[in-house]
Amino acid sequence: MNAGYIILKIVMWVLIVFFVSDTIMQFISYSFYKGDRQLKEVACNPVKIQINDSLYGYGYNLDSDSDKVILFFGGSMYIAYNTVGMYAGNFDCPFLSVDYYGTQESKGRMNLKTMKQSAEELYDYAKAKYPDKEIYIFGHSYGCGMAAYLASVRESKHLVLASGYRTSADMYNKIIPIFWGPLQVFIKNNIRADLYAKNTTCEVTVLGSDSDKTLDADIQKKLAGYYDNADCKIFSGIAHEDYFLTEEVINYVKENVLAEY
């Protein structure tokens, strides 16, 4: 067996490992939104919204006279119903969340292109419904990617990222630690918040916690560094799932983001 054949075989197996790993991680990420069920107990009662013939979501405080509206992109397992049901009651303005194409009642296929399309169409729906309100874009965990993207292609007053990430590699490497540096080229649908940041002109707040074991405080500081003059707040003792269930975080957002203008 000559050396060239051995090298070729090694390269082939390396490529297989990367492509299979990416497929597995993408399947896991998407499955949370496709198969996740509505929580039986929520803090408020979400109202279904129809964004277009194929795209659905949920909202709350839809008739509020506040001059603000929040578009929220939830993390894994936080489909639109759960996001609104658990978080919206903490705010006194219209609060909207979308189920990406190919998930829940939204028709189509879920991929990076249609996720971006879902985010844009949620924004356009909100802008048409509330033409005189300022739009605030929030994201938590996996949802930070689409929140960051939307803020880079639509005008908003403020972007809030709680436990965000620079690229999908930050998430994937927590489970399969092989997508380092240039090797993340093998991530087919790589969500690039680091690149979206370059086209973002609104104010930005990045939230992290010293107790977040999923996307740690160090990643949040690095993420904030991609934005011009982003505010980075690191809390103490808050678990990854609990940012918008914690009074300290909610009050910080109200006082430093929503009450700022």
Side-chain angles (χ1 to χ4, degrees):
M1 187 178 295
N2 60 49
Y5 177 80
I6 294 174
I7 293 173
L8 181 61
K9 193 170 184 179
I10 292 173
V11 170
M12 180 189 69
W13 278 108
V14 168
L15 291 175
I16 290 173
V17 167
F18 274 102
F19 285 122
V20 170
S21 296
D22 174 54
T23 300
I24 291 172
M25 291 308 304
Q26 182 172 282
F27 175 81
I28 293 172
S29 299
Y30 291 0
S31 66
F32 288 121
Y33 297 96
K34 291 181 177 181
D36 196 59
R37 297 181 178 180
Q38 296 179 357
L39 295 172
K40 293 182 179 180
E41 295 184 8
V42 290
C44 65
N45 295 318
V47 177
K48 184 186 294 185
I49 58 174
Q50 183 171 359
I51 299 166
N52 60 41
D53 290 342
S54 302
L55 192 64
Y56 293 82
Y58 283 87
Y60 190 70
N61 282 331
L62 299 180
D63 297 322
S64 169
D65 60 1
S66 170
D67 61 352
K68 304 173 178 64
V69 56
I70 293 174
L71 306 184
F72 201 111
F73 297 86
S76 299
M77 296 184 290
Y78 270 74
I79 56 176
Y81 180 93
N82 297 344
T83 296
V84 173
M86 295 306 296
Y87 302 150
N90 295 314
F91 305 98
D92 61 2
C93 60
F95 186 109
L96 308 176
S97 186
V98 65
D99 283 317
Y100 303 117
Y101 281 108
T103 71
Q104 304 303 309
E105 293 186 53
S106 295
K107 302 173 184 177
R109 183 177 180 182
M110 184 181 183
N111 54 45
L112 182 54
K113 180 180 178 180
T114 60
M115 289 170 66
K116 290 178 177 179
Q117 183 180 349
S118 301
E120 292 175 12
E121 292 177 357
L122 173 66
Y123 180 99
D124 295 343
Y125 170 88
K127 196 65 178 177
K129 185 175 179 64
Y130 306 108
D132 299 323
K133 297 184 187 296
E134 297 285 0
I135 294 181
Y136 292 72
I137 301 173
F138 285 43
H140 172 236
S141 190
Y142 191 86
C144 284
M146 286 306 97
Y149 167 75
L150 184 59
S152 75
V153 297
R154 293 289 192 275
E155 181 180 355
S156 62
K157 197 68 175 179
H158 206 117
L159 169 66
V160 178
L161 302 174
S163 193
Y165 50 93
R166 297 163 294 177
T167 74
S168 295
D170 282 335
M171 298 181 291
Y172 288 11
N173 285 332
K174 293 294 181 179
I175 300 175
I176 305 177
I178 61 174
F179 298 101
W180 301 106
L183 294 178
Q184 64 178 293
V185 70
F186 292 104
I187 301 177
K188 182 179 179 181
N189 285 297
N190 196 358
I191 302 175
R192 298 294 304 269
D194 59 340
L195 298 183
Y196 307 151
K198 297 178 180 180
N199 296 318
T200 302
T201 58
C202 67
E203 296 293 323
V204 181
T205 296
V206 178
L207 308 177
S209 170
D210 61 8
S211 296
D212 191 330
K213 305 302 182 183
T214 304
L215 292 163
D216 60 37
D218 187 52
I219 290 177
Q220 306 317 305
K221 294 173 184 177
K222 292 176 180 177
L223 172 60
Y226 286 100
Y227 291 94
D228 293 333
N229 302 316
D231 172 42
C232 184
K233 171 66 174 178
I234 304 300
F235 294 91
S236 180
I238 298 175
H240 179 73
E241 301 83 2
D242 295 341
Y243 286 93
F244 290 97
L245 300 176
T246 304
E247 186 174 358
E248 181 182 7
V249 175
I250 296 167
N251 288 339
Y252 182 87
V253 170
K254 287 180 176 180
E255 294 170 6
N256 296 278
V257 176
L258 297 175
E260 185 177 346
Y261 304 101

